[in-house]
């Protein structure tokens, strides 16, 4: 199996605050890993390290088996000039979609390939059409973000990330800011990507979704991986007290109904 991403001995501190403590995680091609954990446990910081928005205090990130950056495990360095190309290899979708309000949906999706990848106009347009179709929003190409629902805007943000044709997609609580009735369409979109074999690292509080979509569930507690395994092991039969407490706090989790067809 090909390892798309490897996080090795990742530690991250902000001043005296140790936020990530020796995280080790490998994600193979086509697999989906869900990250769960209480607020403040370090989930976003971990994704930001994987997207090179933060430099580890120590430890390393490998993409396709190749170490990113230079230096030693205790002092990694990323060259400023390489960062935008590196980030293009790792798509990220945030809680707040931050589309450009003065650009159409299609222009929003074309912007990354145009400015970062220097694709020609036809290629930018081809990608925008392809990925807007994939998220079911080809018909909204000429609309402006303000004319879309929150769920549609988030699907555009997903198309925008996909248009870079990244090797892995990261989702940081992509549905947390949405009205409840808009969550489903975004989760469906993410699930379709999983079914197509996209490699993904998903931070979510939607436990039913994690149960259905993830190949592996990782529970983060105070900056450490406390427990991990298949969804059944972590979500149904957790071993650690902190995991059990977290799951009890998300009482709405129900196992999906068995599929009878
Ligand atoms: P989560 O996403 O699991 O809620 P975060 O990764 O956002 O957790 O934050 C983990 C801890 O790191 C929190 O205590 C937060 O206040 C702290 N933190 C995150 N980013 C910074 C920063 N840039 N400077 C200082 N502290 C930070
Ligand atoms: Mg967070």
């Amino acid at each position: 199996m090909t390892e798309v991403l490897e996080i090795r001995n990742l530690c991250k501190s902000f001043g005296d605050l140790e936020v990530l403590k020796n995280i080790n995680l490998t994600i193979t091609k086509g697999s989906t890993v869900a990250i769960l954990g209480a607020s403040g446990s370090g989930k976003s910081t971990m994704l930001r390290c994987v997207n090179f928005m933060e430099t580890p205090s120590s430890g390393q990130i490998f993409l396709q088996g190749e170490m990113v950056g230079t230096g030693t495990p205790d002092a990694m360095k990323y060259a400023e000039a390489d960062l935008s190309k590196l980030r293009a290899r790792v798509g990220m979708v945030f809680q707040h979609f931050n589309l450009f309000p003065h650009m159409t949906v299609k222009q929003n999706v074309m912007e990354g390939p145009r400015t970062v990848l220097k694709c020609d106009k036809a290629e930018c347009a081809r990608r925008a059409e392809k990925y807007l179709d994939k998220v079911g929003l080809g018909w909204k190409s000429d609309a402006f973000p303000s004319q879309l629902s929150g769920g549609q805007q988030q699907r555009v943000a997903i198309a925008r990330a996909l248009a870079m044709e990244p090797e892995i997609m990261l989702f940081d609580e992509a549905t947390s800011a949405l009205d409840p009735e808009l969550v489903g369409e975004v989760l469906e979109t993410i699930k379709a990507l999983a079914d197509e074999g996209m490699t993904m690292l998903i931070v979510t509080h939607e436990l039913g979704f994690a149960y259905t979509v993830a190949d592996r569930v990782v529970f983060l507690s105070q900056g450490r991986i406390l427990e991990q395994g298949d969804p059944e092991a972590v979500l149904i039969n957790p071993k650690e007290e902190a995991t059990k407490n977290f799951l009890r706090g998300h009482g709405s989790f129900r196992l999906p109904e068995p599929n009878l067809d």
Side-chain angles (χ1 to χ4, degrees):
M1 276 193 284
T2 336
E3 292 170 358
V4 175
L5 171 73
E6 183 189 347
I7 301 171
R8 197 181 289 177
N9 302 326
L10 173 64
C11 299
K12 179 68 185 177
S13 298
F14 295 105
D16 290 341
L17 182 67
E18 284 182 70
V19 174
L20 296 176
K21 302 163 189 167
N22 207 39
I23 302 285
N24 286 283
L25 192 66
T26 300
I27 304 187
T28 54
K29 191 169 169 57
S31 69
T32 295
V33 175
I35 312 280
L36 309 180
S39 173
S41 58
K43 306 178 299 294
S44 293
T45 304
M46 185 176 137
L47 290 199
R48 289 169 59 82
C49 287
V50 173
N51 193 39
F52 314 106
M53 290 190 287
E54 301 282 1
T55 307
S57 301
S58 62
Q60 297 148 302
I61 310 285
F62 294 75
L63 280 179
Q64 312 279 5
E66 226 174 275
M67 188 183 84
V68 174
T70 56
T72 66
D74 289 323
M76 291 306 296
K77 286 200 189 84
Y78 301 145
E80 199 60 40
D82 296 339
L83 280 179
S84 60
K85 282 258 159 57
L86 273 170
R87 287 185 189 132
R89 297 176 60 186
V90 181
M92 182 133 168
V93 177
F94 304 88
Q95 189 171 337
H96 296 284
F97 2 94
N98 298 325
L99 299 174
F100 295 114
H102 60 287
M103 291 184 188
T104 65
V105 160
K106 186 170 180 181
Q107 287 166 339
N108 264 281
V109 179
M110 290 172 65
E111 190 64 5
R114 187 177 76 80
T115 58
V116 178
L117 304 180
K118 316 282 186 215
C119 296
D120 65 31
K121 204 168 177 186
E123 174 63 10
C124 294
R126 185 193 69 80
R127 290 189 184 203
E129 283 157 25
K130 173 172 174 183
Y131 294 106
L132 282 169
D133 278 347
K134 197 179 277 293
V135 301
L137 287 174
W139 60 292
K140 287 287 189 189
S141 290
D142 298 326
F144 285 90
S146 62
Q147 297 169 314
L148 304 185
S149 72
Q152 290 171 334
Q153 291 184 48
Q154 190 59 301
R155 284 152 62 200
V156 174
I158 294 171
R160 179 178 59 177
L162 291 173
M164 305 299 272
E165 303 192 338
E167 292 153 41
I168 181 169
M169 286 282 286
L170 315 179
F171 293 85
D172 193 358
E173 300 193 29
T175 59
S176 294
L178 296 175
D179 292 335
E181 72 273 18
L182 303 177
V183 167
E185 64 186 83
V186 174
L187 295 182
E188 282 300 314
T189 303
I190 301 172
K191 182 172 186 307
L193 293 176
D195 291 345
E196 273 183 25
M198 175 62 79
T199 310
M200 301 198 284
L201 189 53
I202 301 179
V203 171
T204 182
H205 291 298
E206 301 283 342
L207 302 188
F209 176 71
Y211 183 86
T212 314
V213 172
D215 300 293
R216 194 148 46 101
V217 176
V218 171
F219 181 71
L220 209 60
S221 174
Q222 300 179 2
R224 292 182 204 281
I225 295 181
L226 189 64
E227 186 160 9
Q228 63 174 308
D230 62 36
E232 195 75 19
V234 177
L235 295 171
I236 310 295
N237 302 302
K239 291 191 188 67
E240 302 289 337
E241 212 45 51
T243 317
K244 291 177 190 170
N245 278 333
F246 175 84
L247 296 175
R248 273 196 287 271
H250 289 75
S252 60
F253 174 46
R254 295 280 178 277
L255 284 179
E257 297 293 323
N259 193 346
L260 297 175
D261 60 25

